[in-house]
Amino acid sequence: MSTVVFAPDSFKGSATAAEVASALAAGWSSVRPDDRIVLAPMADGGEGTLDAFEVAVPGSSRRPVRVTGPDGAPRNASWLLLPDETAVVELAETSGIGLMPALASFDAQTTGFGQAIAAALDAGATGLLLAIGGSASTDGGAGMLSVLGARLLDAAGEAVPPGNRGLTGLDHVELGSLRALPAGGARVLSDVTSPLLGPDGAAAVFGPQKGAGPDDVPVLEAGLARFADMLRETGVTVDPATPGAGAAGGTGFGLLAWGATIAPGSAAVGEALGLPALLAGADSVVTGEGRYDDQSAAGKVPGYVAGLAGAAGIPALLAAGSITAQPRGFAGAVSLSELAGDSAAAIGDPLRWAAAAGAELARRA
């Protein structure tokens, strides 16, 4: 009998990490019924991070909050209070792209994310873990900072409109009323290392995913550059080239300007789960994500899990919706799209094909 840990990320927009882990395990058990199964659904700072912490940390408490969604409409969301009074706030829950009825690259905002952070601070949170994957906006975190007390003003002294649209008209920023960080600080959980500006920055790389056309990207870039310039005039010394500043449409930059630090999301969730210890006592681990590509080895869940497996001296196996890059650090890999015949079929019934992938990996083990 072997002990097998199942530690996948969610298949974004298709199935949660917990659902994927259970389906992979069910498939594996259909081939190797005597193996001991350990479920450890993962996240990397994007969608599902709140759920992963809630599962991983006994005594955590989900707190409801009413926020302004990324499209400006009110919506119900939540944040998580851990037993040590650290709050976990997930941008995808409050300002995520999955909440948009239609993409709006210039108008999507991070106001709701700021409102959830403020609610956590008002409730007495002594530290913050801020998961910023899955953003709908390219506003540099302007909406979030406004809620926390920053004043973003035009030449007439009026607040600029929300979203990136208001940034090009920004005349000055006032930070005198900006809320202080909690005593335990704020850590940003992200798997993105992009700078704020330039060809690898927030507008150029992620703007098209949020509805920006080729002619829109330079305008979005100009708004972010203006925001960075105006913050610099207040004495903020954060370099826009800092890795991770471009995460979540520049929200990484806004959080760095507030004083937060950036940490790899996968590692933070893995530590909360006790994943290193789980793998030290296991014989193999199965991980996965919706799309395994060239970025997967750089801070995303599969790359992180493979690294832990290597350190523990056990094989890591990969199940992904699609595989478009050579898997590194894995003893075996299965694509759900190949099993299903094409991507559409795999996306249409991801748990069925995740179970098939688990069975196929078990047969190869």
Side-chain angles (χ1 to χ4, degrees):
M1 181 181 73
S2 298
T3 296
V4 186
V5 176
F6 291 83
D9 197 355
S10 64
F11 285 16
K12 303 289 190 292
S14 180
T16 68
E19 291 170 337
V20 174
S22 295
L24 288 169
W28 182 283
S29 295
S30 70
V31 176
R32 296 172 60 100
D34 295 329
D35 284 350
R36 176 174 173 261
I37 299 300
V38 178
L39 301 181
M42 277 286 295
D44 58 12
E47 177 187 351
T49 299
L50 213 62
D51 295 335
F53 271 94
E54 188 173 24
V55 169
V57 183
S60 58
S61 172
R62 182 85 71 145
R63 302 294 181 90
V65 62
R66 186 77 167 167
V67 302
T68 300
D71 60 345
R75 65 175 299 106
N76 295 320
S78 60
W79 56 277
L80 191 70
L81 185 65
L82 304 183
D84 67 356
E85 298 188 318
T86 297
V88 185
V89 186
E90 180 186 299
L91 186 147
E93 170 95 358
T94 57
S95 307
I97 195 167
L99 306 178
M100 293 291 289
L103 298 179
S105 58
F106 286 101
D107 297 307
Q109 57 186 287
T110 54
T111 301
F113 185 47
Q115 290 167 333
I117 293 171
L121 294 175
D122 290 343
T126 59
L128 295 168
L129 293 173
L130 304 173
I132 64 171
S135 168
S137 73
T138 312
D139 76 345
M144 170 203 68
L145 286 177
S146 295
V147 172
L148 295 176
R151 299 188 70 208
L152 279 59
L153 306 172
D154 62 19
E158 300 294 328
V160 298
N164 184 284
R165 187 176 300 281
L167 297 182
T168 52
L170 192 59
D171 181 73
H172 61 285
V173 175
E174 297 177 0
L175 299 180
S177 298
L178 185 63
R179 296 184 71 152
L181 290 171
R187 271 200 303 165
V188 181
L189 310 182
S190 175
D191 66 347
V192 173
T193 57
S194 299
L196 179 67
L197 305 172
D200 298 320
V205 175
F206 302 109
Q209 299 173 12
K210 300 171 183 180
D215 294 337
D216 297 328
V217 169
V219 184
L220 293 170
E221 175 91 355
L224 292 173
R226 180 70 177 172
F227 186 42
D229 287 343
M230 292 300 98
L231 281 174
R232 188 180 303 112
E233 290 190 3
T234 70
V236 170
T237 57
V238 176
D239 187 346
T242 302
T251 302
F253 178 75
L255 287 167
L256 288 169
W258 187 36
T261 58
I262 292 181
S266 298
V269 178
E271 289 167 11
L273 278 167
L275 192 60
L278 287 178
L279 298 195
D283 297 292
S284 60
V285 59
V286 179
T287 187
E289 63 181 340
R291 175 185 171 90
Y292 184 93
D293 57 24
D294 289 328
Q295 299 182 27
S296 295
K300 293 193 174 183
V301 167
Y304 168 70
V305 173
L308 287 183
I314 64 171
L317 305 170
L318 173 70
S322 63
I323 299 176
T324 61
Q326 181 64 37
R328 288 179 279 173
F330 294 98
V334 172
S335 162
L336 274 64
S337 295
E338 291 185 5
L339 291 176
D342 56 45
S343 294
I347 292 170
D349 197 354
L351 300 184
R352 171 192 173 189
W353 295 109
E360 179 61 23
L361 289 171
R363 281 189 284 268
R364 298 182 188 179

